[in-house]
Amino acid sequence: MDWGEKSTAELMSRYVSTDAGVGVPNEGWRICLAHEFKEKRKPFQAKDVSLSNVLEHIGLGVRYLKWWYRKTQIEKKAPFIDMFGALPLRQIYGAPLGGIGGGTITRGWRGEFCRWQLNPGMYHYTTVIANQFTVCLRRGGQTVYQQVLSVERPPTLQGWNWGYCGEYAFYHALYPRAWTVYHLPGQNVTLTCRQVSPILPHDYQDSSLPVAVFAWDVENHNDHDLDVAIMLTMVNGSGHKDDKRGGHWNEPFRLEKDGEAVSGVLLHHCTPVNPYTLCLAAREQPDREVSHQTAFSPKGTCDGLWSDLITDGRLDSPTGSSPPTQKGEEVAAALAVSCFVAAQGRGGLEMSLAWDMPTVTFGSGERRHDRRYTRFFGTKGDAAPSLAHHALKHYRRWERSIEEWQRPILQDSALPSWYKSALFNELYYVADGGTVWTELPEDSDVSGGVRSEDGGLPAQPPVIKEYGRFAYLEGQEYRMYNTYDVHFYASFALIMLWPKLALSLQYDIAGSVIQQDLTERLHLMSGQCSPVKAKNVVPHDIGDPDDEPWQRVNAYLIHDTANWKDLNLKFVLQVYRDFHFTRDNTYLRDMWPICKAVMESEMRFDLDGDGLIENSGYADQTYDAWTVTGPSAYCGGLWLASACVMSKMARLLDDGPSQLLYKDILERGSAAFDKLLWNGQYYNYDSSGRSLSNSVMSDQCAGQWFLRASGLGDGEFQAFPKDKVLRALKSVFDLNVMSFAGGQMGAVNGMRPEGVPDRSSVQSDEVWIGVVYGLAATMIHEGMLQEGLRTAEGCYRTVWERLGMAFQTPEAYCEKGIYRSLAYMRPLSIWAMQWALDQTGSKPPQEDG
């Protein structure tokens, strides 16, 4: 058994049952509910900075500390990056519930409801213990078994039967679906709970819905019949202090539409800002009984609710609403569905959970935004019953769409199993990345104030008007929307699966490029004051959800935007990559003047006129803590790739002068790049001649990656010699991958040529999962298929199987001890690997066994 097979087997080693459940796929991430992860890592914090780096950045440290104190102690707000309050690692998360942009609720792999993102971008990491599924088995009119399907033994709710044995159950995730299989000890009954969310590629309606469905399959292996009930209990709230502010209330409902009736309970959460309604619902059918308890207190023993169910397998179903809660009081509700299951037979039950927060106000409170799903379900806040009805009626169609989308990859026996799990499960971040998807207000102008006829954009580009505005966070801990240098990597998931959202985001960024904000602001890294936003420069991000996204360009405080070279280049590269995929000529024409403007802005960094831009200090935004001097492999490579795609776009748009200009830059720049950085084995980190300038950077071929992904990189549109690219990637594989952690943890960012990690900065000796997936894609494009798969496999095994970071893949980890920034955008770049496989037709040999 190799190292990968061993780590996979370990997750299920404590499972004692032989039950496989109903309809559980072979591929995905599977774990026994009794599993305990052996390694417990700590988050990177200020105290983890080495003494040499502390001395080098002492000014930054002092400025950050002052800013942090003002933000937390005076303004009483959470900093968008908190170096003193990083999230601890909780090895508990499973697939999130809900579609894109309407908020998410995460269930842990042991079944707990434990991560809440209802207000966009703002998270509550609270396990609400009363939110549970309970099973009741009845035989001959008598209850023979009633159990909370949870391994927990909490100090509250002692009237319930807790402590289900986790060795008899396993969880299986293949996002956007997940399965939990429970064998009921001593009962000869197996339950399979299937969790379905509407994450549907190329679907811009149902994919926006804040709903999920729980479909239960019941296998009765006995020689006698059973009546089986499943009860879902839910607190009105998310475990936040708002739950106890008072004024919340519940009510039963029934909705009949299109020949289908659903009934359940509505939980109205009545906060002054962003109120919402939770909805527990089930479909009424002749052979199913739906019952409810409108309100109960989730404190004390709560034995009344337990006795209600155990008496006859149903709840009392009172009519009328509950009174509003008093301050300090919490209220919960319950829904039960029961069915008859014949001896040696199978039965099924289904429930939905929906939530309706139709309009949202961000932290500044300046304006309200209508969420995307309100186009179909209205903004009045009364849509929860209709959402639940729609989900229960259509979830099987959703599943057929999901299966059709995933089938070609899952059934491809040539692709390794770990890759299939990683590809789909990493997609959780599209929904759970603080994601907001809103309608474009009638009075909005995204052009930045410059009209199309003047080299700008339409005030309301059709793609945004039709498909809305989309934003997701850099990370759940790095609270900035659409961080552009990171989106560069993650964007493959959007352009492949929801291309209209990818183009919408690009129009928003393009409009902000033209804008300028000359307000002077202190930048923490340099200590210098400079304008918030320079003209013709791509912003780092579009704002903080605790402020006002889209209204506040660039929430970041670390650097002066005027000196962020890689952001402009990444904009140009994405414009052409997106056109290459969509063939949207209108998009290309609209973006062309913006691309020319940002490239002209970059040209000022060609200080010696050799066609290659130079770096100065902290000029690479992506690697902002890794000092660069002179032309570098990373920024220099992106510059050459950008010149290459500019030449291609100019030809497509019949802009002869521009084509000649960028062809000349490309020819001169490529020669300079080769002369200054190529050392015979790889491209040096930079050209300064410093003692560490010849470090091996894992991301040194990022420019070539995007050229290949865009169908370029050969012949007239070649920036880097193929033989040198292959040699550089071979060096990266030999040193950054195989000489690091036994070749089992992916590629370290920086490696010395003698085979030890570059520890010159807090980033150089980290592994960045998203960068590694991009590197693997580059290798696949260049024919290094096995090397690419081995490189990426190390990251998946480390994150998902060894460190317990499922559904919270971090930005980075080191070889030992620490990780940084849980639940991060960049690992969506694994879809770049699929892009490369699709383009090259590469197929690895079939796995052994």
Side-chain angles (χ1 to χ4, degrees):
M1 183 181 294
D2 66 20
W3 61 279
E5 293 172 332
K6 184 177 180 181
S7 63
T8 299
E10 177 68 21
L11 297 180
M12 285 291 287
S13 63
R14 296 184 63 182
Y15 187 59
V16 299
S17 174
T18 58
D19 287 324
V22 176
V24 184
N26 294 323
E27 310 294 353
W29 181 70
R30 184 173 296 189
I31 184 169
C32 176
L33 268 59
H35 182 75
E36 294 287 342
F37 289 97
K38 296 175 182 177
E39 186 167 348
K40 311 292 184 183
R41 289 213 166 192
K42 301 293 185 183
F44 176 87
Q45 297 188 71
K47 62 182 177 61
D48 295 305
V49 181
S50 67
L51 180 60
S52 61
N53 277 303
V54 167
L55 295 175
E56 184 177 351
H57 300 303
I58 192 165
L60 168 63
V62 170
R63 289 185 292 272
Y64 176 83
L65 185 59
K66 289 180 178 178
W67 174 82
W68 180 90
Y69 180 84
R70 184 177 73 249
K71 179 65 69 172
T72 60
Q73 304 304 309
I74 298 175
E75 298 178 18
K76 303 297 183 182
K77 288 193 170 187
F80 64 87
I81 297 180
D82 191 348
M83 289 292 293
F84 301 103
L87 287 177
L89 176 60
R90 302 175 69 205
Q91 297 163 315
I92 65 172
Y93 296 114
L97 302 163
I100 300 172
T104 46
I105 299 171
T106 297
R107 280 187 81 214
W109 50 268
R110 290 191 179 98
E112 62 270 62
F113 290 78
C114 51
R115 185 168 66 197
W116 307 77
Q117 188 252 148
L118 298 177
N119 287 304
M122 309 301 288
Y123 286 81
H124 301 151
Y125 299 91
T126 308
T127 296
V128 182
I129 199 65
N131 293 356
Q132 298 290 345
F133 285 104
T134 296
V135 61
C136 174
L137 303 182
R138 291 174 59 79
R139 178 184 178 188
Q142 298 292 320
T143 296
V144 296
Y145 180 84
Q146 187 162 299
Q147 173 73 50
V148 182
L149 295 172
S150 170
V151 299
E152 300 295 331
R153 296 180 182 271
T156 59
L157 304 174
Q158 290 296 300
W160 298 7
N161 185 22
W162 295 90
Y164 173 84
C165 182
E167 293 180 348
Y168 288 90
F170 69 87
Y171 176 86
H172 186 97
L174 188 68
Y175 190 74
R177 297 191 293 173
W179 295 254
T180 312
V181 176
Y182 304 91
H183 177 67
L184 305 183
Q187 304 306 310
N188 219 15
V189 170
T190 301
L191 307 175
T192 303
C193 176
R194 188 170 77 257
Q195 171 185 311
V196 184
S197 293
I199 302 295
L200 312 168
H202 307 285
D203 180 302
Y204 299 91
Q205 179 169 330
D206 283 6
S207 290
S208 71
L209 303 184
V211 296
V213 171
F214 300 101
W216 292 81
D217 284 288
V218 183
E219 296 175 277
N220 179 8
H221 302 300
N222 294 289
D223 292 327
H224 54 260
D225 303 337
L226 287 172
D227 290 298
V228 181
I230 301 290
M231 177 175 71
L232 171 60
T233 49
M234 183 74 61
V235 172
N236 187 329
S238 62
H240 189 258
K241 61 183 179 180
D242 283 344
D243 296 359
K244 298 181 180 181
R245 67 175 292 119
H248 312 311
W249 58 284
N250 301 343
E251 64 170 329
F253 80 95
R254 182 178 187 273
L255 174 64
E256 185 170 357
K257 185 168 58 174
D258 302 328
E260 297 272 2
V262 301
S263 59
V265 189
L266 301 174
L267 292 72
H268 301 290
H269 197 75
C270 303
T271 49
V273 178
N274 299 345
Y276 62 90
T277 298
L278 289 166
C279 176
L280 314 181
R283 184 162 49 175
E284 296 182 355
Q285 301 176 76
D287 53 351
R288 305 288 185 271
E289 182 171 12
V290 180
S291 59
H292 71 269
Q293 180 55 259
T294 307
F296 68 90
S297 172
K299 294 183 177 180
T301 62
C302 204
D303 53 3
L305 179 73
W306 190 262
S307 298
D308 187 4
L309 184 66
I310 209 170
T311 300
D312 55 6
R314 64 182 304 280
L315 301 174
D316 284 345
S317 300
T319 59
S321 304
S322 69
T325 55
Q326 300 297 309
K327 187 173 182 180
E329 181 184 9
E330 292 180 287
V331 66
L335 179 74
V337 189
S338 60
C339 69
F340 171 82
V341 186
Q344 301 297 331
R346 244 176 71 182
L349 304 165
E350 53 193 30
M351 301 175 173
S352 70
L353 174 63
W355 51 99
D356 182 24
M357 184 191 287
T359 60
V360 292
T361 296
F362 294 100
S364 70
E366 289 184 10
R367 65 185 304 169
R368 299 194 68 80
H369 302 261
D370 295 337
R371 282 182 147 143
R372 166 70 175 181
Y373 76 88
T374 63
R375 174 176 290 204
F376 317 107
F377 286 87
T379 61
K380 295 180 180 179
D382 60 359
S386 295
L387 285 164
H389 185 284
H390 185 88
L392 288 166
K393 184 176 180 181
H394 294 287
Y395 82 93
R396 292 188 183 277
R397 174 175 59 81
W398 297 345
E399 289 195 281
R400 289 193 295 272
S401 296
I402 291 167
E403 289 165 357
E404 183 179 348
W405 158 45
Q406 294 183 340
R407 185 180 298 114
I409 294 170
L410 298 180
Q411 291 186 350
D412 189 340
S413 60
L415 293 173
S417 292
W418 69 262
Y419 171 76
K420 298 169 186 177
S421 175
L423 183 70
F424 293 112
N425 284 324
E426 290 290 7
L427 199 60
Y428 84 97
Y429 197 82
V430 170
D432 202 25
T435 312
V436 60
W437 184 3
T438 67
E439 293 289 272
L440 182 67
E442 291 294 329
D443 60 349
S444 287
D445 180 350
V446 306
S447 70
V450 181
R451 293 288 179 265
S452 302
E453 56 271 20
D454 299 317
L457 298 169
Q460 295 202 344
V463 70
I464 302 185
K465 197 167 183 178
E466 175 60 27
Y467 296 99
R469 297 180 109 170
F470 176 85
Y472 58 159
L473 294 177
E474 178 176 337
Q476 290 181 11
E477 292 191 77
Y478 288 6
R479 211 178 55 235
M480 295 161 283
Y481 271 128
N482 292 353
T483 298
Y484 201 72
D485 62 299
V486 184
H487 172 69
F488 175 75
Y489 296 82
S491 60
F492 282 87
L494 278 188
I495 194 62
M496 292 177 72
L497 302 175
W498 295 276
K500 302 299 185 183
L501 295 184
L503 299 189
S504 173
L505 188 155
Q506 286 288 86
Y507 273 101
D508 258 325
I509 292 293
S512 66
V513 167
I514 299 168
Q515 294 176 324
Q516 63 179 3
D517 183 348
L518 300 180
T519 306
E520 292 284 312
R521 183 177 61 184
L522 176 69
H523 290 272
L524 299 184
M525 180 66 78
S526 65
Q528 304 290 318
C529 285
S530 61
V532 168
K533 173 65 173 65
K535 189 175 182 180
N536 294 337
V537 173
V538 173
H540 172 274
D541 60 88
I542 63 164
D544 177 355
D546 204 21
D547 190 6
E548 190 66 26
W550 293 300
Q551 302 297 111
R552 307 276 190 273
V553 171
N554 192 52
Y556 209 47
L557 298 173
I558 301 299
H559 297 311
D560 171 4
T561 58
N563 290 318
W564 290 349
K565 301 175 180 61
D566 59 335
L567 296 178
N568 281 0
L569 304 175
K570 288 170 176 174
F571 176 80
V572 171
L573 290 170
Q574 285 188 73
V575 165
Y576 184 73
R577 189 276 315 270
D578 294 350
F579 166 76
H580 175 68
F581 183 84
T582 64
R583 295 295 164 179
D584 188 327
N585 291 303
T586 299
Y587 168 74
L588 185 64
R589 287 193 297 271
D590 284 345
M591 293 296 160
W592 178 238
I594 314 297
C595 289
K596 289 205 294 185
V598 299
M599 287 295 284
E600 288 167 7
S601 177
E602 293 291 297
M603 289 178 190
R604 69 187 190 280
F605 295 110
D606 181 7
L607 303 181
D608 54 11
D610 63 356
L612 189 63
I613 61 170
E614 298 185 23
N615 300 71
S616 178
Y618 298 92
D620 291 347
Q621 172 50 41
T622 295
Y623 300 93
D624 56 11
W626 203 349
T627 305
V628 187
T629 304
S632 69
Y634 186 70
C635 259
L638 293 177
W639 166 252
L640 294 179
S642 297
C644 186
V645 302
M646 287 293 288
S647 178
K648 175 68 172 180
M649 286 191 286
R651 171 181 287 185
L652 292 171
L653 294 168
D654 295 321
D655 186 340
S658 292
Q659 184 182 356
L660 291 174
L661 169 66
Y662 288 106
K663 184 178 180 182
D664 175 65
I665 290 174
L666 178 60
E667 291 174 351
R668 292 186 295 111
S670 294
F673 186 80
D674 193 75
K675 178 180 178 182
L676 291 169
L677 295 165
W678 181 251
N679 66 17
Q681 298 298 321
Y682 57 90
Y683 294 104
N684 286 336
Y685 176 65
D686 67 23
S687 59
S688 67
R690 297 174 302 129
S691 59
L692 296 176
S693 67
N694 65 337
S695 285
V696 188
M697 186 186 195
S698 66
D699 213 9
Q700 62 183 268
C701 294
Q704 176 71 359
W705 167 36
F706 254 71
L707 288 180
R708 287 298 194 196
S710 303
L712 304 175
D714 286 316
E716 181 182 356
F717 298 102
Q718 176 179 304
F720 313 95
K722 182 175 178 61
D723 62 325
K724 293 180 178 177
V725 170
L726 287 171
R727 199 173 304 171
L729 290 173
K730 180 68 164 55
S731 295
V732 168
F733 182 74
D734 290 343
L735 289 166
N736 300 58
V737 179
M738 298 307 295
S739 298
F740 176 75
Q744 296 182 14
M745 292 184 75
V748 68
N749 274 341
M751 181 66 85
R752 299 293 302 140
E754 58 269 24
V756 297
D758 181 333
R759 304 192 189 280
S760 63
S761 82
V762 296
Q763 296 177 343
S764 55
D765 68 343
E766 292 181 330
V767 174
W768 288 7
I769 297 91
V771 165
V772 173
Y773 290 152
L775 168 63
T778 313
M779 291 176 173
I780 293 170
H781 278 297
E782 298 300 331
M784 298 173 60
L785 178 62
Q786 291 304 322
E787 293 89 340
L789 290 172
R790 178 62 186 262
T791 296
E793 181 180 4
C795 282
Y796 174 79
R797 302 287 189 192
T798 300
V799 169
W800 289 79
E801 298 183 343
R802 180 178 139 200
L803 301 184
M805 294 176 172
F807 298 101
Q808 53 181 329
T809 304
E811 156 73 320
Y813 55 75
C814 291
E815 183 174 4
K816 296 178 181 178
I818 61 174
Y819 63 86
R820 185 166 57 78
S821 187
L822 287 172
Y824 199 77
M825 179 200 292
R826 203 184 322 254
L828 284 171
S829 61
I830 192 167
W831 281 86
M833 293 179 65
Q834 188 60 36
W835 180 288
L837 289 168
D838 289 345
Q839 282 203 342
T840 62
S842 298
K843 295 293 180 185
Q846 190 167 349
E847 287 185 302
D848 294 338

